[in-house]
Amino acid sequence: MKLSLNYREIEGKSTGFWILLGGLALIIALAGGATLFMEHEGHHVTGMSNQIVWGMPHVFAIFLIVAASGALNVASIGTVFGKPLYKPLGRLSGLLAIALLLGGLVVLVLDLGRPDRLIVAMTYYNFKSIFAWNIILYNGFLAVTIVYLWLMMERRMNKYYKPAGFVAFVWRLILTTGTGSIFGFLVARQSYDAAIMAPMFVIMSFSYGLAVFILVLMAAYNWTNRPLGDVILYRLKNLLGVFIAAVLYFVLVFNLTNLYATEHHGIERFILLDGGIYTKLFWIVQIGIGSLLPLAMIYHPTVGKSRPAIATAAALVIVGAFAQLYVILIGGQAYPLVLFPGYEVSSAFFDGQITSYSPSIWEIALGVGGIALALLIVTVAVRVLRFLPETLEDAAIDPHAAGSGK
Amino acid sequence: MSQFLPALRVFAVLLSLLLLLPQAATADDDDGGDKETLPFSELSFPEPERRFSATQKCVRPVAEMRRNHMTYILHQRDETMHEGIRTRQYSLEECVNCHAVKNDEGEYVPVNGPDQFCASCHSYASVNIDCFQCHATKPVRPSTLHTQSSTETEHTTRELSGTINPLLASEGPAQ
Amino acid sequence: MSESSNLADIARRNFLTRAGAVTGAAAIAPGVFLSVTASARPADEAVTARKRWGILVDTNKCASGCNDCVTACEEENGWGHSEPESNPEQKAHWIRTVDIRNKSTGFAKTLPIMCQHCETPPCVDVCPTGASFRRADGIVLVDKHICIGCRYCMMACPYKARSFVHEDLHDQKPWAPRGKGTVESCTMCVQRVDKDRIPACVEACSADNHNALIFGDLYDENSEISKALKAQDSVEIRGDLGLNTGIRYRGI
């Protein structure tokens, strides 16, 4: 028989805990200041322009939103697919999903030209807009996940948590489909306008979300001196490996399809060959450092068993994720719209030119603030509520798992 | 439980600060924060130079305008924006044409400037107005809203209907 | 070509709306008729789908180096010199002249590009709040009162016709309100069109005797623009997207 699982708040009395809390709060305060400055001055103090319409805040926001959806994956595997090994991780998974989504939404909202009109976004809806659907999907995701968490954590309601888990699982797939479709539905842009954007974002969410989950889990158990067994960690890192490979597959298919169509040779050449920073980010950071290197580390017979190596691999996946989103978002906009195929174009409004983008410190601060907010929510939540099992050592979660390798 | 309270408090403060950020971002548009509170009757407004008619100062009775000007402007806003209806009686431009006054040098002062017509009352009531981030604050071209001898003009043919979206109406001051 | 089918569509719609108007007029009261002449619409009457405004750009008459339509637009709508803090990439452009040159043949042209006032505008589709909208008479506008500044419409526009205002503005024109944090674009000089005048760019072009721009009602088969479109070929920029634009070009 397996031991009964005890969830317990973290103690949160150590200096380290307060330093973490204070550090995150400080980052959030700085980000708040940066945001106030941007909103007061207007977007002219940012690197964004009428050519690069969406910038660094959107890279951060989309990373957080996509990772939020993926972070819930761990809970879904336990609930929907009935894998007992993942069940003890369900609560943290749900919490992380909520925290990351909140962080992402705050960044997205504070970058609006008129954040003071948030109420308008909530009261006027254009139902043909994928953005409007996403507003509903994001709010719904928060609600669904909170209910799911409550049913999971309230002993008397435990019997209902499976259906809730199923709803949350379907909801998050739709949510990430919606996020991907923000780009997939942009018919006019060479670099977007592809149905594959939606499933690619779903797979990206699996990978990003799990990487964040592994890092948070390792940090939480390491800093609180709670035991974290190899079984669960190796299972998670192997899963991460599968997701990294799946993202690579989608990137490959996306680019191969574009390469086949002459129409898209311009943008492909830009991203893959002579796009300067975007080409470097794509090959070196996204593919090399962010995908192939962590894949090798995860599946290496000895390195793959080392905890620092697993943590590093997860961190590299996140680095690669930022590179990937930067290339998709900024790279896709830097390449000019094609109004006259076969023509050289020039104008006072930078038609036909590749536009440069250098993010300002303000927008980076806002984005980092979103990450800090997500982490702060997690830190406080595990301190006040019972999210983390006291132990995740091999014997505690599933004594047979280690032997059977199932 | 008490051991959680500090953390909770920090969290609550931070969260509320974050939620307040957008408001704070526009806070500097408010004027007169350091003023003594006055009874409304003692507020002074610059008087417009013209009257709408012999019997009426504004385009509607003053008491009505005081209470409901935002509804008239909001209604007009949506009709002009979406339907191209360009009657002048409730046009914001005509509000400005009448209520912006000249200073001693004979130049118009922005109607949303401190102590000017819009701002004096709005800062008293602590209601932020958003109109003049986009709309002109000084008269630019002559008024086409002629002062009339009667309140019935060609411009009143479209009365305010009773079907104003309550949502729009309730948002009036903020827009 | 899709052009001809689009025009056939217009003609059909024209006929249907006319027919509707006539029956509508007959239904109001005996002896009372709504006039459907080209005279000015009363200020208190809403725009209808019986008209669709459009502009035909004859690029053969567009002189290289001429920028008069752009300066006229700046003057009328108050953009161009209103954003001292913004860098050139950030400054608003409601209309711009674009030089194009065919890479294989060397054929070169200059033409103005502004909001194309699509019949099915991508910017309207994607706008989350409905701030981006198409007026009944075909003019695509931004309702800045409910624009939250998300810029998704700018991502969606195939023509790069939209601009975001990156700083506080002062001394706007009363007839063309615009401000920080919202998106804007060519309004086809809606404030003029509503008073039976022609857009500033078209006026400037004919004032110079270039006459490269014809403005008018695409649904009125007797209008100058409809006759010109019927008589000779014209294209939409990115016609492949099937947006049925209100701005059409000749000579490219």
Side-chain angles (χ1 to χ4, degrees):
Chain A
M1 272 308 291
K2 75 177 173 186
L3 306 167
S4 71
L5 271 168
N6 276 323
Y7 294 88
R8 172 92 19 114
E9 304 89 348
I10 63 165
E11 208 175 31
K13 283 180 183 158
S14 65
T15 324
F17 176 79
W18 290 108
I19 289 174
L20 175 66
L21 218 56
L24 291 173
L26 181 69
I27 295 173
I28 293 171
L30 290 174
T35 309
L36 280 179
F37 177 71
M38 271 196 287
E39 294 307 336
H40 179 73
E41 284 292 317
H43 276 64
H44 77 88
V45 297
T46 71
M48 290 176 274
S49 65
N50 286 328
Q51 328 299 321
I52 306 288
V53 173
W54 286 350
M56 218 45 175
H58 302 82
V59 172
F60 277 91
I62 291 174
F63 170 79
L64 285 165
I65 290 167
V66 168
S69 156
L72 194 65
N73 219 27
V74 176
S76 298
I77 298 173
T79 307
V80 179
F81 300 103
K83 302 279 182 202
L85 184 74
Y86 290 88
K87 280 186 185 161
L89 305 175
R91 295 184 181 185
L92 178 63
S93 166
L95 169 65
L96 208 48
I98 291 171
L100 290 170
L101 188 69
L102 280 175
L105 289 183
V106 165
V107 174
L108 204 58
V109 162
L110 290 182
D111 178 71
L112 291 177
R114 301 295 311 249
D116 51 323
R117 288 194 187 148
L118 191 56
I119 186 71
V120 172
M122 299 297 167
T123 48
Y124 288 73
Y125 277 103
N126 165 27
F127 286 102
K128 201 181 173 185
S129 166
I130 180 75
F131 235 46
W133 303 351
N134 278 338
I135 294 171
I136 297 168
L137 287 172
Y138 296 152
N139 290 325
F141 181 80
L142 287 176
V144 167
T145 312
I146 287 169
V147 170
Y148 178 34
L149 262 184
W150 174 60
L151 297 180
M152 234 188 310
M153 293 173 75
E154 171 60 63
R155 212 173 277 269
R156 284 167 301 167
M157 305 300 287
N158 260 190
K159 54 180 175 284
Y160 302 114
Y161 89 90
K162 266 182 189 278
F166 187 75
V167 172
F169 173 68
V170 174
W171 196 286
R172 58 151 302 242
L173 287 183
I174 299 172
L175 179 137
T176 323
T177 303
T179 311
S181 299
I182 288 176
F183 300 97
F185 287 3
L186 287 177
V187 290
R189 298 227 175 214
Q190 297 281 317
S191 39
Y192 309 128
D193 182 29
I196 199 176
M197 281 286 180
M200 186 162 84
F201 268 67
V202 172
I203 298 299
M204 279 153 61
S205 82
F206 288 180
S207 169
Y208 303 176
L210 187 56
V212 174
F213 184 88
I214 291 175
L215 275 183
V216 169
L217 182 75
M218 289 180 78
Y221 277 73
N222 194 4
W223 293 344
T224 56
N225 293 320
R226 296 186 185 193
L228 173 64
D230 283 341
V231 173
I232 208 153
L233 196 59
Y234 291 170
R235 187 67 69 85
L236 289 173
K237 66 113 184 164
N238 285 339
L239 191 63
L240 182 63
V242 174
F243 290 159
I244 297 169
V247 173
L248 275 178
Y249 167 77
F250 271 84
V251 170
L252 181 74
V253 173
F254 174 70
N255 286 293
L256 273 183
T257 313
N258 275 351
L259 282 171
Y260 205 81
T262 312
E263 180 196 358
H264 291 126
H265 283 182
I267 176 73
E268 283 299 311
R269 191 179 172 82
F270 177 65
I271 298 293
L272 302 181
L273 277 180
D274 52 18
I277 179 75
Y278 307 106
T279 305
K280 289 193 189 97
L281 279 176
F282 179 81
W283 287 113
I284 301 175
V285 186
Q286 181 189 335
I287 302 296
I289 299 175
S291 306
L292 298 178
L293 182 59
L295 259 185
M297 287 168 78
I298 284 169
Y299 290 122
H300 192 279
T302 52
V303 176
K305 300 256 188 284
S306 134
R307 292 196 173 209
I310 293 173
T312 309
L316 288 179
V317 168
I318 293 173
V319 171
F322 274 94
Q324 181 173 21
L325 288 173
Y326 195 90
V327 170
I328 292 178
L329 252 110
I330 317 288
Q333 294 176 79
Y335 188 75
L337 281 168
V338 179
L339 292 187
F340 303 96
Y343 281 80
E344 281 168 5
V345 184
S346 64
S347 78
F349 200 40
F350 307 96
D351 281 270
Q353 285 182 41
I354 285 154
T355 35
S356 64
Y357 169 69
S358 42
S360 66
I361 183 76
W362 318 111
E363 37 191 319
I364 296 173
L366 171 60
V368 174
I371 293 183
L373 177 68
L375 294 179
L376 184 77
I377 292 172
V378 173
T379 312
V380 174
V382 297
R383 172 76 169 70
V384 296
L385 289 170
R386 295 172 179 182
F387 281 100
L388 298 175
E390 277 188 309
T391 171
L392 282 173
E393 62 189 326
D394 296 350
I397 43 169
D398 189 358
H400 309 293
S404 67
K406 191 174 179 249
Chain B
M1 269 309 279
S2 63
Q3 76 218 42
F4 311 135
L5 287 178
L8 270 176
R9 240 179 258 139
V10 171
F11 183 58
V13 167
L14 283 170
L15 201 67
S16 44
L17 278 180
L18 269 167
L19 292 172
L20 285 173
L21 275 181
Q23 271 307 311
T26 51
D28 57 332
D29 299 335
D30 295 326
D31 295 300
D34 52 347
K35 275 188 204 141
E36 295 276 308
T37 44
L38 291 169
F40 184 78
S41 55
E42 286 176 30
L43 277 184
S44 64
F45 312 99
E47 275 291 318
E49 285 164 12
R50 291 176 296 156
R51 296 170 69 92
F52 180 66
S53 73
T55 53
Q56 194 175 302
K57 287 165 89 175
C58 199
V59 294
R60 290 260 123 190
V62 170
E64 165 73 2
M65 283 310 278
R66 247 180 216 159
R67 192 170 292 276
N68 291 327
H69 62 283
M70 59 295 221
T71 317
Y72 288 105
I73 296 172
L74 184 74
H75 190 71
Q76 175 80 19
R77 165 198 119 174
D78 287 334
E79 286 195 337
T80 306
M81 186 79 237
H82 292 265
E83 296 174 47
I85 290 170
R86 289 180 191 269
T87 54
R88 302 305 289 178
Q89 186 166 1
Y90 304 116
S91 146
L92 185 65
E93 186 185 358
E94 295 294 4
C95 299
V96 173
N97 278 344
C98 236
H99 287 287
V101 293
K102 289 177 178 167
N103 62 13
D104 296 340
E105 283 88 56
E107 285 164 2
Y108 278 113
V109 184
V111 73
N112 62 336
D115 296 325
Q116 294 304 304
F117 185 77
C118 297
S120 54
C121 197
H122 270 267
S123 58
Y124 175 84
S126 292
V127 177
N128 194 17
I129 30 174
D130 209 7
C131 308
F132 299 108
Q133 292 210 10
C134 288
H135 284 278
T137 56
K138 298 176 201 167
V140 172
R141 55 183 173 181
S143 168
T144 50
L145 176 63
H146 304 292
T147 47
Q148 303 285 329
S149 55
S150 129
T151 56
E152 286 307 310
T153 75
E154 55 170 319
H155 302 294
T156 52
T157 47
R158 277 186 82 94
E159 289 296 324
L160 275 180
S161 64
T163 55
I164 302 170
N165 184 339
L167 187 70
L168 296 181
S170 69
E171 265 183 28
Q175 299 294 324
Chain C
M1 268 299 287
S2 65
E3 308 304 324
S4 57
S5 70
N6 284 338
L7 289 177
D9 274 358
I10 291 169
R12 184 165 57 242
R13 217 172 291 118
N14 197 4
F15 166 73
L16 288 173
T17 46
R18 282 286 175 81
V22 170
T23 35
I28 287 175
V32 178
F33 288 98
L34 289 174
S35 109
V36 213
T37 57
S39 67
R41 177 173 56 82
D44 62 354
E45 198 175 282
V47 292
T48 66
R50 284 195 296 275
K51 283 183 191 297
R52 183 179 178 204
W53 300 115
I55 297 176
L56 171 62
V57 183
D58 188 344
T59 63
N60 298 316
K61 297 178 180 168
C62 242
S64 175
C66 172
N67 215 30
D68 290 350
C69 50
V70 178
T71 43
C73 181
E74 290 180 3
E75 183 61 31
E76 168 74 18
N77 295 300
W79 60 274
H81 303 284
S82 58
E83 300 143 88
E85 305 288 337
S86 300
N87 64 37
E89 283 89 349
Q90 291 170 330
K91 283 192 201 307
H93 278 259
W94 290 23
I95 178 173
R96 61 196 193 268
T97 50
V98 178
D99 295 312
I100 62 170
R101 186 178 159 279
N102 192 304
K103 279 184 230 168
S104 31
T105 65
F107 174 75
K109 270 286 162 68
T110 301
L111 68 160
I113 295 184
M114 64 295 242
C115 170
Q116 303 286 303
H117 298 280
C118 312
E119 186 177 39
T120 49
C123 58
V124 173
D125 290 345
V126 303
C127 176
T129 65
S132 205
F133 71 101
R134 182 181 177 275
R135 227 169 65 149
D137 59 0
I139 300 181
V140 176
L141 296 170
V142 181
D143 183 348
K144 289 167 193 133
H145 306 103
I146 55 172
C147 173
I148 56 173
C150 73
R151 284 105 81 200
Y152 196 24
C153 57
M154 300 173 70
M155 294 289 281
C157 177
Y159 306 101
K160 209 163 80 166
R162 291 211 156 169
S163 296
F164 179 72
V165 179
H166 287 71
E167 62 180 286
D168 274 319
L169 301 182
H170 304 283
D171 296 323
Q172 294 94 325
K173 310 282 184 191
W175 50 88
R178 48 194 297 262
K180 179 177 83 175
T182 55
V183 173
E184 58 186 19
S185 59
C186 157
T187 62
M188 222 189 257
C189 284
V190 69
Q191 69 280 5
R192 291 166 150 251
V193 171
D194 280 345
K195 294 190 171 152
D196 244 26
R197 297 174 63 201
I198 60 173
C201 55
V202 181
E203 193 177 89
C205 193
S206 23
D208 292 349
N209 262 328
H210 293 148
N211 297 318
L213 304 175
I214 305 174
F215 168 82
D217 180 4
L218 298 171
Y219 289 171
D220 176 3
E221 37 187 70
N222 294 316
S223 67
E224 191 189 352
I225 188 170
S226 296
K227 287 179 187 164
L229 285 168
K230 194 171 185 183
Q232 279 187 55
D233 188 31
S234 67
V235 293
E236 300 172 38
I237 298 178
R238 290 229 57 188
D240 59 317
L241 296 173
L243 301 173
N244 189 9
T245 57
I247 314 287
R248 281 154 189 275
Y249 291 82
R250 187 181 279 175
I252 51 168

